[in-house]
Amino acid sequence: MFEFSVAYKYLIPRRRQLSVSIITIISTLVISVVVWLILVFFSVTTGLEKGWVEKLVALTAPIRLTPTEEYYQSYYYNVDSISDASDYSTKTIGEKLSAESTDPYDPGIDMEIPPYWRSPDTNASGTTKDLVKDTFSLLQSQGLTAGDYDHALAQMRLRLVRHSNEGMGSTTQTFLTQGCYLSSFDAKNHSVATITLEPTASDLANIFALLATSADAATEDMPSSDDSVSSETFHEKLDAFLENTTITHLKTPPEGWYIPPSMLKTPKLSAFALVDGDTMIKASLDEKSIPSAESPEDLIFNIEIDIKGVTLSGSTPYGELTIGAATTTKAFEDAPETPPPWIYTVEDATVIPSDDVFGEGVIVGKGFRDHGVLLGDRGYLSYHMVTAGSLQEQRVPMYVAGFYDPGIIPLGGKFVLADSSVTSLINATTRVNDNTFGNGINVWFDDVNTAATVKTSITKSLTEKGLAKYWNVETFREYEFTKDILEQLQSEKYLFSLLAIIIMIVACSNIISMLVLLVNDKKKEIGILQSMGASRWSVALIFGFCGIIIGIISSGIGTIAAIATMHNLPAIIDVLSAIQGHELLNSTFYGDTLPTTLSAGTLKFVIIATATTSLLAGVIPAIKASLLNPTKLLRSE
Amino acid sequence: MMTKKTVLHAENIHKTFRHPSKVSVLRGVDLTIQQGESIAIMGASGEGKTTLLNIIGTLEKPDKGSLTLLGKKASPAARKTTIGFVFQNYNLLEDYTTIENVLMPAKISRKTTTKNSPSYKRATSLLEMVGITNRANFNVKDLSGGERQRVAIARALCNNPDIILADEPSGNLDHENSKAIHAILLSCVKDHNKALIIVTHDIELATMCDKIYTLQDGKLMLRDPAS
């Protein structure tokens, strides 16, 4: 296309058209910087938002169905309260799902149905519609994974038993109490494994150290820190721990550690017998020491220490040392006979362990870890049961089986995931007003970006089956605890998009100046081209192309720079953090890893915006050029 | 005898410039030229010779009068196919080579101009005709005045136009080059059956044309060859 080839020729910098060349280079650089800035900013924010959304969805589900007032007023829901077969109490969604009968009412035994109740919603065959089972089968027929959930409110009290420096084997204990939202954990939620944090060496050391500590008094307010389990229980728990853990290194205590004299073969080395604190020592458990051990401190490890180039090897009791590094098993093909005390997976299902001695395993937010809580710490969940005469406190023993990263969702840190039996128990006991967010159906599917489409499809199917009035269908963007923050994020993106467009327009306005100069510079050539038959449209197109070419080249440079920046983002953030003196992006909010890929949506936006703005910037000079009179141009020469 | 077709017919062409002051340069010009015919237009400076040529070349619109090219009402599109311009100051594209300049009309007409294409072959044969094959890949800035005008003639002939409009083609050239340029232009008329209108002050060139017109007081008058 001759217009394009002429435009390309015009843009090649030449000494003869120095001012145009300089402005062209400046325009290109400015637009490149703007493109780079927009791409990096949007890619980072989009990546972070995606991470936050993934974490949120991993904790809950991309879509949730909650019962409406219509559901709670329905005959289907209320009939259990007057039915002997249901022990005269209403059922949760989970209970309804596993109930044998849709309508347990027996006119022969049960009281008369109150006249103000709504009539049963029936199928074409005249039988009562099973609102829960019908909804589940409808969801499954769409290829969706569904599971009921319970939320309950409880008080969690954790007892943190730690070694003290006061003497061998002495411990201290502190307590941490926190109100929390208990959320039922569903094995079908595969995503939860993606947000759980790896057990650290300190976590393993804590579990290991507590193996001999009794949990009998776990639900007491001030239990003794020295109670021990029976030797039999200790060995049972030790075997389970060692079955899933291989200790490879031990770590010396912070105050330093004296090498056992038995390992000092040369008297000269006695001067170096004190090993610095927090030194890693290569170690392996001497299995012969297991049978006679009464506590972890008694276990013997074969160790190797490098001191001043000399390798010392020997054995030492665990004593004051702690686990420095270990490998753990978290994934199993079949259900393990001796499950680990942390969250694990069996094929696709995620399992929260429960321990007959230590209590129910729960997963808590990583904020707890930041406050000193370690895996294996024990305590209880407290809730109040209303009875006819009093308000009784009930306690369920539990221990920390995992930590999750909640992202920035406000309630994230206060969500405690527990087995559904625990949440059902607490929910059933404490339920005062049924119409809360405490019970519903989670719906999972692979691509959370399709949530809005899936919601539409579910709503349509529910409407067809006459079930729509019983359920509120919400995507994760509509949950009461996410709506505000996701809307805020969206608003910020819109605001920055607006700013980006303004910056882009300002940057591209350079193109106008450049093209006006270029048109003045090329007046004679415009006349010559017109004398050879170039139309006004062709002349306009030449200068329009000049604008677009600058836009495309600038986008290319900006995109390449943005890709390079994104690939090296962690290093760049480190440098900026070092310059600033504190963390540039706090990991509490932004997570431990930053996005490193360019957002495809942003790239599309930037390329279209740059091309359009450049084209528009080129229009005015192009029109000016096309309106020039060729005879005047040729005569002026 | 074969009848020659009329390439251009201008009738009652009027043109008045209103800025900076009102000047009527053309006051009813009539002109007809046929295939294989050459016409010289002479006249004093400022009489409107170039204006007439621009109007004939559709670069400028007349205030009044009609203009037909090959029997059709003249339009700017004719510049692509029917008309070839040769200017006094060459008007070459400075950033391009000789061959690129010659090929430009073909490019504007959306013809393929790659090597071995008909347009490219024609461009090289035209360069051969004007005698500057060895300058094909030179930048036109590096050519002499005579060579530049040869390039301009080759470019004017690129799309095989029916009429060549030459505005003082030898105005900036020495005598030797002038003669050579005149010979090339006239050979186009005789050998390639083109129509040629030359605006010139050069009486020697004018007398080599079939007809000589004088533009005076806005009217075109056929000059007696004997005078």
Side-chain angles (χ1 to χ4, degrees):
Chain A
M1 196 174 188
F2 112 90
E3 290 90 349
F4 185 83
S5 65
V6 173
Y8 176 73
K9 199 105 177 169
Y10 283 177
L11 290 176
I12 295 171
R14 289 174 205 285
R15 199 177 295 169
R16 201 160 41 80
Q17 50 185 50
L18 191 64
S19 53
V20 175
S21 301
I22 289 171
I23 294 181
T24 307
I25 291 167
I26 290 173
S27 304
T28 308
L29 287 178
V30 169
I31 298 170
S32 303
V33 169
V34 172
V35 167
W36 168 80
L37 186 70
I38 293 172
L39 276 177
V40 170
F41 180 84
F42 277 113
S43 296
V44 171
T45 52
T46 307
L48 288 173
E49 189 187 339
K50 193 177 161 215
W52 292 330
V53 166
E54 277 171 0
K55 283 168 187 167
L56 161 75
V57 171
L59 270 181
T60 54
I63 284 184
R64 213 170 58 174
L65 272 66
T66 48
T68 59
E69 187 60 30
E70 194 74 29
Y71 175 87
Y72 290 116
Q73 295 295 328
S74 68
Y75 169 86
Y76 170 78
Y77 174 73
N78 287 299
V79 70
D80 292 305
S81 66
I82 58 165
S83 301
D84 177 60
S86 301
D87 290 335
Y88 302 106
S89 63
T90 55
K91 289 189 164 107
T92 64
I93 288 171
E95 288 164 345
K96 278 285 194 186
L97 187 62
S98 56
E100 285 179 11
S101 167
T102 302
D103 188 353
Y105 182 71
D106 182 349
I109 308 170
D110 299 328
M111 65 175 266
E112 201 174 327
I113 296 169
Y116 55 85
W117 275 21
R118 298 194 180 169
S119 316
D121 197 350
T122 53
N123 293 310
S125 59
T127 55
T128 304
K129 272 186 190 171
D130 196 316
L131 305 184
V132 170
K133 286 180 183 169
D134 287 356
T135 304
F136 267 83
S137 60
L138 178 150
L139 294 169
Q140 278 152 10
S141 69
Q142 295 195 8
L144 302 165
T145 307
D148 68 297
Y149 70 84
D150 272 315
H151 286 318
L153 293 171
Q155 183 101 331
M156 183 171 68
R157 185 171 161 92
L158 286 169
R159 174 190 175 205
L160 315 181
V161 179
R162 301 286 181 264
H163 277 286
S164 80
N165 297 333
E166 287 170 8
M168 178 91 170
S170 65
T171 54
T172 60
Q173 61 178 342
T174 51
F175 296 90
L176 194 149
T177 309
Q178 163 96 55
C180 62
Y181 297 92
L182 267 185
S183 182
S184 59
F185 177 80
D186 198 317
K188 291 190 286 291
N189 182 5
H190 307 150
S191 311
V192 80
T194 62
I195 57 163
T196 50
L197 307 178
E198 290 289 309
T200 63
S202 302
D203 286 328
L204 297 173
N206 191 50
I207 296 172
F208 192 56
L210 289 172
L211 286 175
T213 306
S214 168
D216 291 347
T219 56
E220 289 178 13
D221 283 334
M222 286 299 289
S224 163
S225 62
D226 297 328
D227 286 350
S228 297
V229 292
S230 68
S231 175
E232 189 185 346
T233 307
F234 167 66
H235 279 281
E236 184 191 320
K237 299 299 168 196
L238 179 66
D239 289 347
F241 180 82
L242 294 174
E243 180 78 22
N244 297 295
T245 314
T246 307
I247 298 167
T248 58
H249 289 80
L250 294 176
K251 195 169 74 174
T252 58
E255 61 274 14
W257 182 69
Y258 281 97
I259 297 170
S262 60
M263 288 175 64
L264 299 171
K265 292 166 188 164
T266 312
K268 282 180 187 172
L269 281 170
S270 59
F272 308 111
L274 180 64
V275 180
D276 289 341
D278 297 328
T279 303
M280 297 290 266
I281 301 168
K282 200 174 171 189
S284 62
L285 179 65
D286 182 353
E287 293 191 358
K288 292 198 289 289
S289 66
I290 296 174
S292 59
E294 290 298 317
S295 75
E297 284 87 358
D298 301 336
L299 291 167
I300 306 292
F301 282 84
N302 298 318
I303 59 170
E304 268 183 28
I305 317 174
D306 285 326
I307 297 193
K308 305 282 181 188
V310 178
T311 303
L312 296 177
S313 56
S315 58
T316 179
Y318 185 65
E320 292 171 306
L321 297 168
T322 58
I323 295 175
T327 55
T328 54
T329 314
K330 294 180 288 293
F332 300 88
E333 285 181 5
D334 302 308
E337 279 181 27
T338 48
W342 47 77
I343 184 170
Y344 60 93
T345 57
V346 179
E347 285 194 350
D348 282 344
T350 310
V351 182
I352 292 186
S354 167
D355 192 289
D356 52 349
V357 176
F358 305 140
E360 295 288 341
V362 297
I363 306 176
V364 298
K366 75 169 182 179
F368 284 91
R369 176 180 267 181
D370 300 338
H371 286 97
V373 175
L374 292 168
L375 219 60
D377 281 334
R378 300 165 197 170
Y380 61 83
L381 293 165
S382 154
Y383 60 98
H384 289 84
M385 184 169 75
V386 185
T387 64
S390 64
L391 192 65
Q392 287 182 354
E393 188 192 1
Q394 304 288 317
R395 292 175 176 179
V396 179
M398 48 68 72
Y399 74 96
V400 178
F403 295 96
Y404 67 84
D405 183 352
I408 58 159
I409 303 304
L411 285 179
K414 288 183 181 171
F415 258 122
V416 170
L417 298 176
D419 189 77
S420 56
S421 61
V422 179
T423 51
S424 293
L425 171 72
I426 298 177
N427 209 4
T429 317
T430 58
R431 201 183 311 150
V432 177
N433 177 7
D434 288 322
N435 193 4
T436 63
F437 79 121
N439 197 201
I441 301 171
N442 278 330
V443 182
W444 294 283
F445 43 91
D446 291 339
D447 186 2
V448 295
N449 294 320
T450 60
T453 321
V454 174
K455 177 189 167 179
T456 311
S457 160
I458 292 173
T459 309
K460 194 179 160 205
S461 304
L462 286 172
T463 308
E464 283 167 4
K465 296 262 180 184
L467 297 168
K469 63 181 175 181
Y470 298 112
W471 302 104
N472 276 324
V473 185
E474 290 177 317
T475 68
F476 62 93
R477 292 193 177 274
E478 296 161 321
Y479 299 166
E480 67 273 19
F481 51 93
T482 60
K483 198 175 170 192
D484 290 344
I485 196 150
L486 290 179
E487 279 180 356
Q488 190 57 39
L489 282 171
Q490 198 60 46
S491 302
E492 283 173 12
K493 282 176 88 172
Y494 285 144
L495 191 66
F496 193 80
S497 300
L498 192 66
L499 281 174
I501 290 169
I502 293 169
I503 296 170
M504 187 73 84
I505 290 169
V506 172
C508 289
S509 64
N510 272 340
I511 295 178
I512 300 180
S513 322
M514 187 281 277
L515 289 181
V516 168
L517 273 180
L518 190 66
V519 168
N520 278 335
D521 211 51
K522 300 292 180 187
K523 271 183 178 172
K524 181 186 170 189
E525 289 195 14
I526 294 168
I528 297 169
L529 292 172
Q530 286 184 325
S531 76
M532 287 189 278
S535 62
R536 290 186 188 282
W537 168 245
S538 286
V539 172
L541 211 53
I542 289 170
F543 292 95
F545 272 135
C546 285
I548 293 176
I549 290 171
I550 292 179
I552 290 171
I553 292 174
S554 308
S555 299
I557 296 171
T559 305
I560 291 167
I563 291 170
T565 306
M566 292 304 290
H567 274 293
N568 298 295
L569 196 61
I572 293 168
I573 297 290
D574 286 348
V575 170
L576 293 176
S577 298
I579 293 169
Q580 193 175 258
H582 59 84
E583 225 180 341
L584 189 71
L585 299 175
N586 191 317
S587 58
T588 309
F589 306 111
Y590 297 102
D592 296 324
T593 52
L594 288 167
T596 53
T597 50
L598 219 53
S599 153
T602 308
L603 188 61
K604 212 184 293 174
F605 163 78
V606 166
I607 287 174
I608 293 171
T610 315
T612 310
T613 325
S614 309
L615 177 66
L616 291 176
V619 164
I620 298 165
I623 291 173
K624 187 190 167 200
S626 69
L627 293 177
L628 293 171
N629 185 336
T631 55
K632 283 184 183 165
L633 300 176
L634 295 169
R635 196 179 297 148
S636 66
E637 297 297 322
Chain B
M1 187 183 141
M2 205 176 76
T3 53
K4 292 189 173 179
K5 67 177 175 183
T6 301
V7 176
L8 176 132
H9 178 68
E11 195 176 318
N12 197 25
I13 300 289
H14 283 73
K15 184 73 182 179
T16 301
F17 291 113
R18 287 174 175 77
H19 299 286
S21 57
K22 191 175 174 184
V23 183
S24 292
V25 287
L26 303 177
R27 298 176 191 173
V29 171
D30 297 317
L31 180 67
T32 301
I33 185 166
Q34 289 175 330
Q35 230 176 0
E37 191 178 14
S38 57
I39 287 175
I41 299 175
M42 303 190 75
S45 295
E47 284 289 345
K49 300 186 294 297
T50 300
T51 303
L52 177 60
L53 211 60
N54 285 342
I55 288 172
I56 292 170
T58 71
L59 287 172
E60 206 159 341
K61 281 185 181 171
D63 296 337
K64 195 177 158 190
S66 70
L67 181 71
T68 56
L69 286 164
L70 298 172
K72 290 180 189 165
K73 192 181 174 193
S75 73
R79 294 200 294 264
K80 278 187 193 169
T81 52
T82 316
I83 304 166
F85 273 101
V86 178
F87 299 97
Q88 178 182 357
N89 50 12
Y90 328 123
N91 280 342
L92 298 177
L93 299 169
E94 298 281 304
D95 298 326
Y96 293 80
T97 63
T98 300
I99 189 78
E100 285 171 340
N101 264 281
V102 176
L103 280 169
M104 190 53 81
K107 280 187 176 178
I108 291 172
S109 303
R110 317 280 175 205
K111 290 179 184 167
T112 310
T113 56
T114 51
K115 275 192 178 176
N116 299 324
S117 64
S119 296
Y120 194 90
K121 283 176 185 164
R122 177 168 172 77
T124 48
S125 69
L126 286 169
L127 286 179
E128 198 178 330
M129 184 191 92
V130 298
I132 49 166
T133 310
N134 57 345
R135 299 284 191 269
N137 294 312
F138 277 46
N139 191 297
V140 292
K141 280 182 291 190
D142 301 327
L143 302 182
S144 68
E147 287 170 333
R148 285 176 178 219
Q149 197 58 297
R150 287 162 202 257
V151 177
I153 293 169
R155 186 181 67 182
L157 292 167
C158 177
N159 279 346
N160 198 16
D162 296 283
I163 183 167
I164 299 165
L165 305 177
D167 189 1
E168 308 227 21
S170 57
N172 287 348
L173 300 177
D174 58 41
H175 185 67
E176 285 303 311
N177 272 312
S178 291
K179 275 173 65 180
I181 292 301
H182 295 164
I184 292 167
L185 285 171
L186 290 169
S187 76
C188 293
V189 178
K190 302 302 169 202
D191 302 343
H192 301 284
N193 212 21
K194 306 290 177 199
L196 171 70
I197 300 179
I198 296 182
V199 168
T200 183
H201 287 110
D202 187 337
I203 190 67
E204 194 182 333
L205 169 61
T207 51
M208 290 161 77
C209 295
D210 298 330
K211 290 176 187 167
I212 301 173
Y213 285 94
T214 304
L215 189 61
Q216 197 172 5
D217 298 330
K219 299 270 185 185
L220 203 57
M221 287 170 292
L222 188 63
R223 193 165 158 166
D224 180 4
S227 64

